[in-house]
């Protein structure tokens, strides 16, 4: 059958007399079968079953109009005529009979071996298993009739092997996939037992009594977990140099070899304690194996090309054989030792004298390990065999069945069960999230088993549900239950391609998630069940990035990278001394806000009101990307230095490196357990404070409700809803657009023709002007300057001006290694703008200025000085006459330096109250740092102004979204009005 040419052909079995039976109207043949003189087929396109005579070529339609036709098989129910040798007594075979043109041949299922009579299959007493790159083979030790590749899927470069005889299972390490896997000996039920946190696992051994799995990782210098991969624990990780081979004596000991500066053979208890060096005068010892019957250790030495042996204490050391080229893959069974020569052949010799050397298998490719499957090598009993020694997680030491716990877990007073850690650090790398317990002398950091991580940008943690949240490079927000059980995603770009999350923060009390979006430059609110609640801040010139919630006091802080004037907002806390703040952290107990500036390379802090600003550290910080507080320490991560460091959070003293050589660091987050008493005392913890949407804690221990920007708070101060039926909508002001119909009447004029319909009837996106020749038409109808096309920054709301820009980069752009184009100014700016981070490579290499450059610079120096002086004088004049006059209070302009503001939420003003009292003035420097108060107030601005309680900032952007219509009554929970204290911009997410 030739589908492409619509032909049906026939040929003799020897390839002669090829001819065409049918070549017309065969649009889509699918099923195909033969019965008697006819050929039958199904046609998927014509929905028919047809046949053709194989000699006369006469064609008939059997049946038609049958949709979705697939396979077809014709069966003759009459008595079969004829026979063959396998039909008579199964050809004399005990199991499988294969008929060939020359003869019949007997075969055995996987796991059985054919005896020398070539007919009978038996269960072998012993057989040899070995790895050969992407395959694992088994061969008979009794006959030469069996050489079978175990049908294992997904093996790429198998290295170490071990067996669990009682369960008929085989385990292996794959140094290419960086996994440890297991399967039954027939190749079924393949599963990855360990697939996270491995670098180069070369040594592995199975504890067949305690059902534990041990491994030695050369890359991470660590030795372990349960046989099914649970309860992973690092048993030995200090003073461990390049561990290689591993062997177990389930009576209580673990043995391994090291290839470090001083090669040695070491023994320890099976719980990792009491490490003792047995042999120190040795080369690169490998392939450690134990003769359980005679209680001897055997190993190969790659430096001397010898096979050696000692007793179990490392004494009575003897050379068994020498002169072998590259001996490897040593194992022992009965009276023999087996090994590979040059990784290409397998040989056998007497285990005591090395005599009677015999070739077992030759002409193999890259044989890394060998192992003899024999029940005598895995017998015996210990206390861990019975119900795991009554241990909740690990039974590691059979001498009294000592129970143990996974890394970072602690043993309960019962000495049987384990409790999870309550205080720890999470840090993210490019494709991994790890957990660390600082000052834990028993366990190092541990990579969590989280699947599908890629280009992680930010992480957070919910200590109540024990769920990790993260933002990945595919513009998703995902979560997983403490690294053990998958949960649905919270937000996916597939739902809305215009969403590009940058950072996130969780309010554990009201069960809400706040996240910043780079595409829409907005702060959004989701419930932790994944339901969207609304937008808290959005403006054409606002660019919220880093974000942190202070749920205990009702505030939301975020960085605003607005027009190169970086700010940290709650209220505009600072107006100078910021360039690129990349991460924020709030310590509620201390009452401090911490941040790190990637451009200024320093860590700073201030009170939550913006007072007492302090530089904690500004030395030897290269590329900070994360910051968090745990206990009395402030921790941060440096991407370029590949380090996690910490210092005293109040003084900046006692700077210490916590972890080094951690590649591709992207973030860090501290986790502290929340007690039931603390949680229940929060006013929003019970039934969300009675609020239908967002619940905010006030300073007096009570709560107030708030709404997303597209809703309004009703008179009961609990429920958010659209405008009440029958209520006359407000008249739109000149700077607003009036929707034609629907429940939304007025929207800001800046939202007109922005590519996103805000009116119910979408009238704000109808009749939009056609872009001129000097403009670029965005996909959603917006027009932007043509010069902004492919400039590395998205100017269209839908980012279409940056689409299809991979081929050619403009002169003012830098071409990433992946083909992406970003602005040259974004190169070496401490942010990973390129996918893969190629814009931040080689940033410390600078060129010295040439003599010509120096001469030129000295010539124009005076001119630049004069220009800068005029610029500063003009800026002061504009600030005093134009900008600063806009900030007025109840009794006139605000003074510039007034202190003594009471410590209350900066935007909280009781209903009906007016704003009086001292105010701190705003200076007119380049950078500002601001925040958002979570509670509303009243002031001399429109009630739909920016500082809505969902988190809208009170900076001066006039294009920021807010409540679409005024509330029915002025209340603290309805709108977040700009506070006059302009040390910062306060935004309330409440």
């Amino acid at each position: 059958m030739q589908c492409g040419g619509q032909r049906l052909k026939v040929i003799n079995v020897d390839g002669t007399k090829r001819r065409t039976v049918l070549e017309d109207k065969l649009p889509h043949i699918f099923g195909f079968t033969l019965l008697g003189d006819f050929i039958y087929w199904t046609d998927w396109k014509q929905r028919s079953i047809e046949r053709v005579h194989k000699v006369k070529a006469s064609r008939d339609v059997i049946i038609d109009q049958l949709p979705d036709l697939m396979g077809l098989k014709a069966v003759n129910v009459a008595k079969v005529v004829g026979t063959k040798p396998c039909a008579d007594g199964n050809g004399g075979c005990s199991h499988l009979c294969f008929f060939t043109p020359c003869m019949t041949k007997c075969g055995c299922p996987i796991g059985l071996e054919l005896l020398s009579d070539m007919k009978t299959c038996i269960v072998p007493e012993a057989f040899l298993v070995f790895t050969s790159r992407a395959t694992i083979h088994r061969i008979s030790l009794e006959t030469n009739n069996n050489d079978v590749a175990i049908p294992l899927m997904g093996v790429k470069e198998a290295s170490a092997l071990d067996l669990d005889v009682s369960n008929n299972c085989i385990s292996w390490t794959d140094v290419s996939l960086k996994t440890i896997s297991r399967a039954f000996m027939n190749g079924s039920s393949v599963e990855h037992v360990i697939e996270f946190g491995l670098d180069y696992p070369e040594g592995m051994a199975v504890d067949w009594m305690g059902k534990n799995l041990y491994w030695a990782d050369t890359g991470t210098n660590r030795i372990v977990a349960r046989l099914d991969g649970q309860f992973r624990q690092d048993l030995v990780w200090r003073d461990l140099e390049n561990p290689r081979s591993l062997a177990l004596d389930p009576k209580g000991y673990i043995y391994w070899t090291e290839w470090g500066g001083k090669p040695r053979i070491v023994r320890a208890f099976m719980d990792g304690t009491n490490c003792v060096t047995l042999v120190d005068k040795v080369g690169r010892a490998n392939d450690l194996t134990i003769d359980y019957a005679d209680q001897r250790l055997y190993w190969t030495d790659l430096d001397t090309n010898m096979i050696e042996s000692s007793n179990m204490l490392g004494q009575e050391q003897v050379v068994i054989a020498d002169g072998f080229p590259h001996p490897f893959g040593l194992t022992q069974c009965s009276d023999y030792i087996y090994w590979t020569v040059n990784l290409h052949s397998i040989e056998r010799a007497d285990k005591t004298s090395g005599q009677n050397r015999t070739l077992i298998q030759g002409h193999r490719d890259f044989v890394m390990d060998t192992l003899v499957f024999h029940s005598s090598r895995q017998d015996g009993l210990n206390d861990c065999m019975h119900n795991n020694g009554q241990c909740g997680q690990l039974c590691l030491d059979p001498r009294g069945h000592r129970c143990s716990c996974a890394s970072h877990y602690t043993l309960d007073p019962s000495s049987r069960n384990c409790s999870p850690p309550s205080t720890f650090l999470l840090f993210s790398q490019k494709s991994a999230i790890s957990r660390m317990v600082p000052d834990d002398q028993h366990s190092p950091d541990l990579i969590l088993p989280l699947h599908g991580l890629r280009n992680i940008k930010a992480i957070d943690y919910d200590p109540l549900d024990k769920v990790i949240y993260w933002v990945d490079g595919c513009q998703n927000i995902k979560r997983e239950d403490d690294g053990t059980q998958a949960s649905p995603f919270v937000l996916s770009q597939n739902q809305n391609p215009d969403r590009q999350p940058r950072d996130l923060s969780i309010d554990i009390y009201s069960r809400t998630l706040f996240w910043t979006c780079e595409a829409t430059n907005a702060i959004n609110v989701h419930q932790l069940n994944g339901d969207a609640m609304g937008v808290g801040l959005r403006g054409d010139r606002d660019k919220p990035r880093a974000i942190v919630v202070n749920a205990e006091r009702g505030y939301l802080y975020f960085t605003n990278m607005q027009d190169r004037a970086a700010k940290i907002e709650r209220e505009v806390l600072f107006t100078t001394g910021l360039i690129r703040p990349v991460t924020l952290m709030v310590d509620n107990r201390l009452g401090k806000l911490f941040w790190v500036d990637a451009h200024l390379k320093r860590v700073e802090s201030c009170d939550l009101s913006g007072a007492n600003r302090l530089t904690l550290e500004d030395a030897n910080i290269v590329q900070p990307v994360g910051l968090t507080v745990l206990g009395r320490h402030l921790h941060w991560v440096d991407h370029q230095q590949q380090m996690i460091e910490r210092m005293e959070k109040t003084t900046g003293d006692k700077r210490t490196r916590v972890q080094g050589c951690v590649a591709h660091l992207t973030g860090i987050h501290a986790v502290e357990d929340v007690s039931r008493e603390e949680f229940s005392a929060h006013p929003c913890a019970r039934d969300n404070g009675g609020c239908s949407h967002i619940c905010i804690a006030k300073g007096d221990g009570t709560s107030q409700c708030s709404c997303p920007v597209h809703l309004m708070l009703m008179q009961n101060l609990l429920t958010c809803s659209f405008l009440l039926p029958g209520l006359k909508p407000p008249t739109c002001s000149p700077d607003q657009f009036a929707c034609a119909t629907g429940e939304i009447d007025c929207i800001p004029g800046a939202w007109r023709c922005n590519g996103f319909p805000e009116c119910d009837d979408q009238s704000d996106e109808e009749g939009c002007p056609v872009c001129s020749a000097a403009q670029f038409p965005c996909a959603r109808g917006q027009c932007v300057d043509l010069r902004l096309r492919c400039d590395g920054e998205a100017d269209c709301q839908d980012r279409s001006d940056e689409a299809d820009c991979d081929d050619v980069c403009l002169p003012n752009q830098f071409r990433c290694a992946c083909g992406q184009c970003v602005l040259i100014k974004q190169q070496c700016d401490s942010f990973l703008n390129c996918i893969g981070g190629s814009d931040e490579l080689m940033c410390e290499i600078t060129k010295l200025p040439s003599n010509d450059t120096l001469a030129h610079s000295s010539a124009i120096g005076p001119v630049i000085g004069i220009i800068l002086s005029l610029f500063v004088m003009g800026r002061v004049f504009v600030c005093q006459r134009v900008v600063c006059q806009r900030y007025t209070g109840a009794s006139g302009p605000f003074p510039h330096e007034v202190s003594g503001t009471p410590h209350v939420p900066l935007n909280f003003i009781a209903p009906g109250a007016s704003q009086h009292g001292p105010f701190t003035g705003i200076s007119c420097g380049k950078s500002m740092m601001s925040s958002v108060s979570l509670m509303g107030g009243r002031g001399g601005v429109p009630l739909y102004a920016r500082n809505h309680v969902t988190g809208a900032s009170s900076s001066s952007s006039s294009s920021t979204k807010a409540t679409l219509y005024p509330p029915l009554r002025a209340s603290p929970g309805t709108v977040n009005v700009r506070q006059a204290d302009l040390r910062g911009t306060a935004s309330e997410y409440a």
Side-chain angles (χ1 to χ4, degrees), residues 1-2 7-13 15-22 32 34 39 53-55:
M1 179 180 65
Q2 186 174 346
R7 292 185 177 93
L8 198 155
K9 297 186 177 184
V10 65
I11 192 173
N12 290 343
V13 292
T16 61
K17 297 184 178 180
R18 176 176 175 177
R19 65 185 178 87
T20 299
V21 177
L22 191 66
F32 190 76
L34 177 67
I39 302 170
H53 196 280
K54 61 184 182 182
V55 177

Side-chain angles (χ1 to χ4, degrees), residues 152-214:
L152 299 168
M153 300 296 293
V155 181
K156 193 169 183 180
E157 191 173 346
S159 181
L161 286 172
D162 207 352
L163 302 169
D164 181 4
V165 175
S166 62
N167 291 323
N168 199 32
C169 288
I170 182 173
S171 300
W172 69 94
T173 68
D174 194 312
V175 294
S176 181
L177 297 177
K178 302 183 187 302
T179 58
I180 298 177
S181 307
R182 70 174 180 177
F184 288 114
M185 286 301 301
N186 62 4
S188 63
S189 301
V190 177
E191 62 174 332
H192 293 312
V193 177
I194 306 292
E195 52 183 330
F196 296 95
L198 298 180
D199 191 1
Y200 206 78
E202 284 201 294
M204 183 194 63
V206 171
D207 172 11
W208 65 88
M209 293 187 188
K211 301 304 178 185
N212 297 315
L213 179 69
Y214 292 74

Side-chain angles (χ1 to χ4, degrees), residues 236 238-240 253-258 264-270 272-280 288 297 312-315:
V236 184
R238 284 194 176 92
D239 303 323
L240 195 64
Y253 295 101
I254 176 176
Y255 300 81
W256 70 88
T257 66
E258 295 183 28
R264 59 177 182 161
I265 299 176
V266 189
R267 185 193 73 178
F269 289 159
M270 292 182 68
T273 60
N274 291 1
C275 293
V276 178
T277 299
L278 298 182
V279 181
D280 55 4
L288 197 63
L297 289 173
M312 302 301 284
L313 298 176
Q315 302 167 356

Side-chain angles (χ1 to χ4, degrees), residues 287-306:
D287 307 306
L288 197 63
T289 189
I290 299 176
D291 182 349
Y292 297 107
D294 293 343
Q295 289 291 288
R296 300 280 300 179
L297 289 173
Y298 290 84
W299 67 89
T300 63
D301 193 318
L302 300 184
D303 291 332
T304 61
N305 290 332
M306 293 190 303

Side-chain angles (χ1 to χ4, degrees), residues 394-439:
L394 297 170
C395 183
L396 294 180
D397 192 350
R399 296 172 295 105
H401 58 275
R402 174 181 172 182
C403 298
S404 187
C405 300
S407 292
H408 306 153
Y409 281 65
T410 54
L411 202 61
D412 289 346
S414 65
S415 297
R416 296 186 183 277
N417 298 316
C418 301
S419 300
S422 59
T423 301
F424 54 90
L425 288 173
L426 295 173
F427 63 89
S428 59
Q429 297 167 265
K430 182 178 180 181
S431 301
I433 296 177
S434 300
R435 184 179 64 214
M436 172 194 299
V437 178
D439 303 320

Side-chain angles (χ1 to χ4, degrees), residues 63 68 77 107 118 241 431 480 493 513 585 591 619 625 804 826 896 924 954 962:
I63 191 171
D68 303 324
V77 296
M118 305 303 292
E241 291 188 81
S431 301
E480 195 159 329
Q493 191 196 29
L513 173 72
M585 185 63 200
V625 292
D804 302 323
Q826 293 178 305
H896 279 262
C924 296
S954 61

